[in-house]
Amino acid sequence: MTARKTPTVVPSLLAGDLSRLGAQLDLLKAAGCSWVSVDVMDGHFVPNLSFGPDFVKLCKSRGFFVDTHLMVTNPLEVAPWFADMGSDVVTCHLEAVSDAAAALGKIRSLGVKAGLAVKPKTPVDGLVAALDACDLALVMTVEPGFGGQKFMADMMPKVSALRAAIDARGLDCWIQVDGGVGAATVAQAAAAGADSLVAGSSVFGAQDCAAAFRDLGAKARAAFGSKHP
Ligand code: DX5
């Protein structure tokens, strides 16, 4: 059995204030944050445009572990750009690749950890089937493309299915949830079995982003521990 991972809150830069993102990152680092998420959007896979590889460089310059969530139609073409800038995890969408295991292997061949994500309408089966090639399994709890949306609690059975599969097979794989994670929803995501909780507006939109980060982490660890000792 692989050791339990400590549930970790992962601020999503999409909700950051670009006029003072460096200062916000420094506040989060001082609050104990070690992992941030960079959302990459191409305007085709999702109806929005966001960050390029330089944002990974900004986060790495401040010593963060960085996961890059590729919401693009050509993840294997752009993955090297983000790996080269220091991404620690590169996550592609199941809906954007023809062979998930091969895509994950290609990402791992770049020397980074490989993640696989599913949109709300996509069943979790394809993600469960690819777990052996996965370092991170991402269940979207909003329709990808924008921050500040409502958490989709009906995605929790997907998280529980992943938790059961990973535990049964003793796999070393994060279960990440992304979208609408905040003080009112983080506990149910962690209780379902998620150990990586991406939070954008609930952290960066807070008066005190460091306090919000710490509060979410405490809630996540308490909820996870009570259900997955
Ligand atoms: C949505 C992004 C999420 C989003 C989360 O497509 O992948 O990471 O930024 O933001 P909140 O936490 O505000 O829903």
Side-chain angles (χ1 to χ4, degrees):
M1 174 76 166
T2 305
R4 278 273 181 234
K5 297 183 182 302
T6 304
T8 302
V9 173
V10 181
S12 162
L13 263 66
L14 191 68
D17 177 347
L18 296 187
S19 70
R20 58 191 182 95
L21 191 54
Q24 288 182 313
L25 288 172
D26 292 342
L27 285 171
L28 288 169
K29 194 88 186 321
C33 177
S34 59
W35 180 355
V36 293
S37 181
V38 175
D39 288 312
V40 179
M41 302 177 182
D42 66 358
H44 298 285
F45 187 75
V46 292
N48 199 356
L49 287 164
S50 63
F51 303 121
D54 282 349
F55 277 87
V56 172
K57 199 169 152 187
L58 167 71
C59 298
K60 293 306 291 180
S61 70
R62 280 170 161 77
F64 286 99
F65 180 89
V66 180
D67 86 66
T68 300
H69 176 194
L70 299 180
M71 289 166 274
V72 301
T73 53
N74 58 339
L76 298 184
E77 183 179 349
V78 308
W81 308 346
F82 291 91
D84 291 349
M85 282 296 182
S87 278
D88 299 281
V89 184
V90 174
T91 299
C92 64
H93 267 263
L94 180 66
E95 302 91 350
V97 295
S98 54
D99 179 335
L104 291 162
K106 171 87 169 50
I107 292 172
R108 278 178 167 171
S109 73
L110 300 171
V112 299
K113 293 186 181 300
L116 188 64
V118 288
K119 291 182 177 181
K121 293 187 182 76
T122 303
V124 75
D125 314 78
L127 194 39
V128 172
L131 279 177
D132 288 319
C134 240
D135 300 299
L136 182 147
L138 168 51
V139 174
M140 290 303 295
T141 41
V142 294
E143 196 58 40
F146 298 91
Q149 301 178 77
K150 188 174 179 314
F151 179 83
M152 297 170 71
D154 56 342
M155 294 294 113
M156 292 304 96
K158 291 185 183 180
V159 175
S160 303
L162 287 167
R163 181 79 272 150
I166 287 168
D167 289 353
R169 288 147 64 175
L171 297 174
D172 181 11
C173 180
W174 290 95
I175 301 175
Q176 189 172 74
V177 164
D178 182 0
V181 173
T185 57
V186 69
Q188 63 185 291
D195 45 24
S196 173
L197 301 121
V198 176
S201 44
S202 61
V203 171
F204 286 109
Q207 190 67 36
D208 179 342
C209 64
F213 168 78
R214 283 192 295 265
D215 176 56
L216 288 178
K219 286 183 167 70
R221 285 185 288 279
F224 186 96
S226 68
K227 289 289 179 70
H228 306 279

